[in-house]
Amino acid sequence: MRSLLLVSAALLASCAAQAAEPPAFRLCTGSEAGHYFRAGHLLKSKASSVQLEVIPTQGSLDNLDKIVAGQCDGAFVQADALLVYSARNAQALSTLERAGVLYQEQAHLLCNRQAGIKRVVDLTKATTVAVGPDGSGGRTTWDAFVLADKTRYAPIQIDTRSGVRALSAVADGSQVQCMLWVGALNASFIKGDAQAQGDRIVLAGTDDRDMTTTAKDARGQPVYTYGEIPAGTYPRIQPAGLVYGTKALGTIAVDALFVTGLAWVTAHERAYDGLLRAFAAAKPQIQSLVQPQ
């Protein structure tokens, strides 16, 4: 009898321990060298209601694929990735919930100085733009531009090079004249790598204002807003001002979003409340990470 009581007590203790254990939450982010991955670890440091695993991935579209496939429970994605993804798998968006906004990212168009391109609307079918591989931030935004305005952007040639390799190709200018890079202001890639090529590369405006009205998500809401890169942000690659210094550049901006899978949310509503509180607590650190003062 005593043995039976001991076994029962052990089982009850085991069940209680299991009940108290927070559920797992797999967060898809991006490259281990990128802001999404680092932001994921900041969220993890604040999250106590879940056992959060930060998973590196190939980018926003890969993240959405993994949520739909049940390989991740949430992700950080560009807002325009939802637009591009809906064109491929519209029903999948009904399985996602927008949990919040991390920060805004800017579309940076870097061009060879000799190409004479001052704004994104100056691109022609004779221009080749490096946008990165499928699923990357630049490629996702470019695909969204094409979806919103096929007449203007579909004829332009694209190249899958990215990062420093794409910068080198733009600096040379013979095969690739521009590259599209999407990220927060003051990111190390632009402040460091791009400015190091400042004698041959210049920033062009991405202020195609039509994008703020024609590119809309599944709810009919604009995907992009109109913003600017302030004068002096990147002194070596911004166009010169009328009198001195550099001038501000108009840009298209897109939100970086935290999205979750509805299946996980429905199964763990109380833990999800805690995760949302953790996200709110981590957000100031995340924003200072991508926009250092």
Side-chain angles (χ1 to χ4, degrees), residues 211-224:
M211 288 297 105
T212 62
T213 56
T214 57
K216 296 184 178 181
D217 62 19
R219 306 167 301 158
Q221 298 299 310
V223 172
Y224 300 110

Side-chain angles (χ1 to χ4, degrees), residues 141-261:
T141 294
W142 185 263
D143 287 347
F145 272 36
V146 172
L147 283 172
D149 192 344
K150 288 184 174 65
T151 302
R152 181 184 296 279
Y153 294 106
I156 298 169
Q157 302 176 70
I158 61 172
D159 187 280
T160 59
R161 277 172 273 198
S162 63
V164 176
R165 183 185 175 203
L167 273 178
S168 296
V170 172
D172 175 75
S174 60
Q175 295 178 320
V176 176
Q177 291 73 50
C178 297
M179 72 172 290
L180 183 65
W181 184 88
V182 180
L185 289 180
N186 289 312
S188 60
F189 176 72
I190 302 296
K191 290 196 76 171
D193 296 320
Q195 289 205 111
Q197 301 268 19
D199 57 331
R200 300 184 64 85
I201 287 176
V202 66
L203 270 171
T206 56
D207 53 337
D208 181 348
R209 290 178 179 267
D210 290 343
M211 288 297 105
T212 62
T213 56
T214 57
K216 296 184 178 181
D217 62 19
R219 306 167 301 158
Q221 298 299 310
V223 172
Y224 300 110
T225 58
Y226 182 72
E228 72 170 22
I229 298 174
T233 303
Y234 309 117
R236 291 208 65 210
I237 56 175
Q238 281 181 247
L242 292 176
V243 180
Y244 61 89
T246 62
K247 65 180 181 180
L249 276 179
T251 65
I252 289 297
V254 60
D255 287 337
L257 301 176
F258 177 26
V259 298
T260 53

Side-chain angles (χ1 to χ4, degrees), residues 20-37:
E21 187 173 289
F25 184 85
R26 299 161 298 175
L27 178 68
C28 278
T29 55
S31 162
E32 290 179 292
H35 290 320
Y36 285 4
F37 186 78

Side-chain angles (χ1 to χ4, degrees), residues 34-280:
H35 290 320
Y36 285 4
F37 186 78
R38 295 163 70 188
H41 279 282
L42 287 174
L43 176 56
K44 181 178 180 177
S45 71
K46 301 291 185 182
S48 59
S49 68
V50 299
Q51 297 184 69
L52 197 150
E53 179 185 3
V54 180
I55 299 175
T57 67
Q58 296 177 10
S60 293
L61 295 182
D62 185 32
N63 292 351
L64 294 172
D65 275 338
K66 282 181 165 55
I67 293 178
V68 172
Q71 297 171 5
C72 283
D73 306 303
F76 296 151
V77 301
Q78 290 173 202
D80 52 3
L82 298 178
L83 172 65
V84 174
Y85 202 73
S86 68
R88 304 179 183 183
N89 189 353
Q91 291 184 336
L93 295 187
S94 64
T95 67
L96 303 174
E97 177 168 312
R98 290 168 60 122
V101 177
L102 284 79
Y103 48 80
Q104 275 204 323
E105 297 182 311
Q106 308 282 342
H108 296 69
L109 185 66
L110 298 144
C111 296
N112 185 282
R113 286 187 179 273
Q114 301 304 314
I117 295 167
K118 297 181 179 180
R119 297 177 61 216
V120 67
V121 294
D122 295 333
L123 298 173
T124 69
K125 62 182 180 181
T127 310
T128 298
V129 181
V131 297
D134 189 36
S136 66
R139 178 61 179 270
T140 298
T141 294
W142 185 263
D143 287 347
F145 272 36
V146 172
L147 283 172
D149 192 344
K150 288 184 174 65
T151 302
R152 181 184 296 279
Y153 294 106
I156 298 169
Q157 302 176 70
I158 61 172
D159 187 280
T160 59
R161 277 172 273 198
S162 63
V164 176
R165 183 185 175 203
L167 273 178
S168 296
V170 172
D172 175 75
S174 60
Q175 295 178 320
V176 176
Q177 291 73 50
C178 297
M179 72 172 290
L180 183 65
W181 184 88
V182 180
L185 289 180
N186 289 312
S188 60
F189 176 72
I190 302 296
K191 290 196 76 171
D193 296 320
Q195 289 205 111
Q197 301 268 19
D199 57 331
R200 300 184 64 85
I201 287 176
V202 66
L203 270 171
T206 56
D207 53 337
D208 181 348
R209 290 178 179 267
D210 290 343
M211 288 297 105
T212 62
T213 56
T214 57
K216 296 184 178 181
D217 62 19
R219 306 167 301 158
Q221 298 299 310
V223 172
Y224 300 110
T225 58
Y226 182 72
E228 72 170 22
I229 298 174
T233 303
Y234 309 117
R236 291 208 65 210
I237 56 175
Q238 281 181 247
L242 292 176
V243 180
Y244 61 89
T246 62
K247 65 180 181 180
L249 276 179
T251 65
I252 289 297
V254 60
D255 287 337
L257 301 176
F258 177 26
V259 298
T260 53
L262 279 174
W264 188 93
V265 171
T266 301
H268 307 286
E269 289 191 14
R270 182 173 295 181
Y272 185 50
D273 284 348
L275 180 60
L276 292 177
R277 293 190 186 99
F279 177 69

